[in-house]
Every structure is written in C-alpha cells, then in structure tokens.
Amino acid sequence: MDNWTAANIPDQQRRVAVITGANTGIGFETASALARCGARVVLACRNLDKAKEAAGRIGPDTDVLRLDLASLTSVREAADEFQARYERLDLLINNAGVTGLTGRTRDGFDIQFGVNHLGHYALTGLLLNRMLPVPGSRVVTVSSIGHRFGRIDTEDLRSAGTYAGSKLANLLFTHELNRRLDGSNTVALAAHPGGATTEIFRYSSALFRIPNLVIARLLGRTPAMGALPTLRAATDPTAQGGEYYGPGGLFEVRGYPQRVQASARSRDSGSQQRLWEVSERLTGVVYPV
C-alpha cells in the first residue's frame, strides 16, 4: 500500500497501548491516532502535568504514567504501577528520545544512550509479561535515519553516547528482541519518522536545530506525518516482526510509510547479542524470554 495513512488503522477497541514521550510531537500524534481508533492509551512521560494536559486533549479514555527514562528506579516504578492497573498490554511504543544533551543519567550512563536505549530496554523487559499472553502484541521502537552514522563498541560504550549511536542501539535491540520472541504472541518492529517538526532538537545547538526544522517545514513533515511509520508498524495487519518502517520518499525524509532497509551494521547478529548482554548487565533487567 503506497499511500498508507491513519485512515488505514484497523479497529483498536479493547487494545491497551503505552507510548513513551507522548505528551508532545510524534508521541502525542501516535497516541491521538490510536485513541481515535478505540485504543486505551497510556501516556508514559517524565512530566506528569504535561502528560495530563495532553491526555485531556486526546480524550477521556486516556491514562498517564510517570516515567523518567533517565532513572532505572523510575522505570521500575512505572512498570510496577502499570502492572497494578492493567492485566494486558497490546502495544508498547518506545518513542521518547533526546538529542543534543550532555551529561549522565541518574545511574551514571551517558544521557542519550541511557534515555534512548537503556531506559527503553529496561521498560520493555519489565512490561513483557503483560504482552506475552496477548495475541498480536507488538513492541515498536522509534529509531532514526541517523542510525546509519552510528557506531557502538560494546567494549567501550563511549561510542554509543552519540545520538546516532543510541539510534543504532534501538535497531540492534529490535532485531535481537524479535529473535528472542520467536514463537511467542509478541513481535518487535522499528520505525523512523524521517524529517518532522518536533521537539527532539530542543536541546541541540541553533546551528543544528534551526536548519532541521526549516527543512522539515518545507517538506510538509508535520508531527502527524512523522507518526505514520510508527503507526503502521504498530497496527498494519501485514507488518511482520523485525521489519523497519519509514517514509518511502527520497532519502527516506518524506513520503508515506513503507518498509525500509536498516543499515547493515544494525543487522549484524553478533553486535545485537553483545549489546543485549551489555544492556542486561547495566540495567539488571533479565527478560522472560
């Protein structure tokens, strides 16, 4: 289907979806589209006040969950709170991300690697027991075109501290998770938004932030358009585990969502397994698969 849009999302009644970083931008548009199709959406965000305001704009069947991906304690607390409220989870959309930030998480990890990858690795592992019994459940992790410039040396994770490195980690994680889920009810996919006018660059320098936003506006890449690859990966009945969705136009910057090819580096099975082992050691989260 060449021109897949939110109108193609099938009925999501009785489905429960958790979207990280859903109070703004692509996460908000993803949550809004799923809610319009009947899903019970849970906005997992660091700022609970902003999450509540966003939930009010989405509609009454919307929940909020405090989640700070820069703190493994917060990740565990969020997982415990979700499991106390809900018996099932159909969609986990690992959407939140930061770029341009320097410094460390509360656990001492590089902030971009810690938030973009390790926090989501831990959250997914802690929620997976609510997904495994649910037929058709999916984990969708949002990566970036920038993953193609990423490098990760699992012996020296300073290379993973770049935005590109953390986005490469998102894809390595997705492929390894999908392999480990083989034979279960749950699959793992990834997506990237192409160019979009979102707040992802808010911590970046003006020299980097302004040209990206101008280009995105010129291309008509609103957050709603940027959310379409995520939504297709999450809801298209024909999507398969391990697939990667992004804009189908030139350089994957614009266009309607299609299945796209991740970099050869992200498909290296040895790197996938090594990153998984490091992530497990650093977070202390062992998956039930």
Side-chain angles (χ1 to χ4, degrees), residues 15-19 34 39-43 82 89-93:
R15 304 194 86 195
V16 177
V18 169
I19 306 101
L34 292 172
R40 172 75 170 177
V41 295
V42 181
L43 314 185
F82 177 85
L89 177 57
D90 297 78
L91 298 174
L92 172 59
I93 299 178

Side-chain angles (χ1 to χ4, degrees), residues 42-266:
V42 181
L43 314 185
C45 306
R46 182 174 57 87
N47 188 315
L48 207 56
D49 289 336
K50 290 183 178 179
K52 290 177 180 177
E53 189 275 332
R57 286 187 284 139
I58 291 172
D61 201 25
T62 307
D63 199 359
V64 298
L65 184 68
R66 188 180 188 283
L67 169 68
D68 183 355
L69 290 163
S71 165
L72 291 176
T73 297
S74 176
V75 172
R76 290 181 180 277
E77 289 173 349
D80 288 344
E81 187 173 345
F82 177 85
Q83 292 183 83
R85 296 186 208 169
Y86 294 93
E87 293 297 320
R88 64 182 288 157
L89 177 57
D90 297 78
L91 298 174
L92 172 59
I93 299 178
N94 294 322
N95 164 82
V98 295
T99 185
L101 276 179
T102 58
R104 299 282 167 179
T105 68
R106 288 170 179 78
D107 305 284
F109 309 127
D110 172 87
I111 189 72
Q112 292 182 115
F113 183 66
V115 169
N116 297 354
H117 169 62
L118 288 175
H120 282 129
Y121 168 90
L123 180 68
T124 304
L126 294 168
L127 292 180
L128 203 57
N129 64 333
R130 286 290 188 264
M131 304 190 77
L132 291 172
V134 181
S137 53
R138 299 182 185 185
V139 178
V140 179
T141 301
V142 179
S143 183
S144 166
I145 299 172
H147 87 274
R148 297 182 180 279
F149 306 103
R151 302 286 188 278
I152 294 181
D153 178 357
T154 52
E155 300 300 320
D156 182 1
L157 284 175
R158 284 177 295 184
S159 61
T162 65
Y163 177 71
S166 69
K167 294 287 104 177
L168 172 60
N170 290 155
L171 282 165
L172 292 168
F173 163 70
T174 294
H175 291 307
E176 180 65 12
L177 174 59
N178 192 63
R179 185 186 69 80
R180 290 171 180 252
L181 290 170
D182 186 42
S184 75
N185 286 315
T186 310
V187 295
L189 304 92
H192 80 81
T197 52
T198 73
E199 294 186 12
I200 185 69
F201 301 115
R202 63 189 178 276
Y203 301 116
S204 302
S205 68
L207 287 174
F208 183 74
R209 182 180 68 254
I210 293 173
N212 275 280
L213 293 177
V214 169
I215 291 169
R217 287 193 179 100
L218 289 173
L219 294 174
R221 295 296 295 177
T222 63
M225 283 294 292
L228 290 181
T230 299
L231 288 165
R232 185 166 191 180
T235 66
D236 187 339
T238 68
Q240 302 293 312
E243 292 181 344
Y244 181 40
Y245 286 83
L250 186 65
F251 303 123
E252 298 177 19
V253 173
R254 64 180 301 181
Y256 292 94
Q258 295 181 12
R259 188 173 63 185
V260 295
Q261 185 80 327
S263 69
R265 192 175 291 112
S266 74

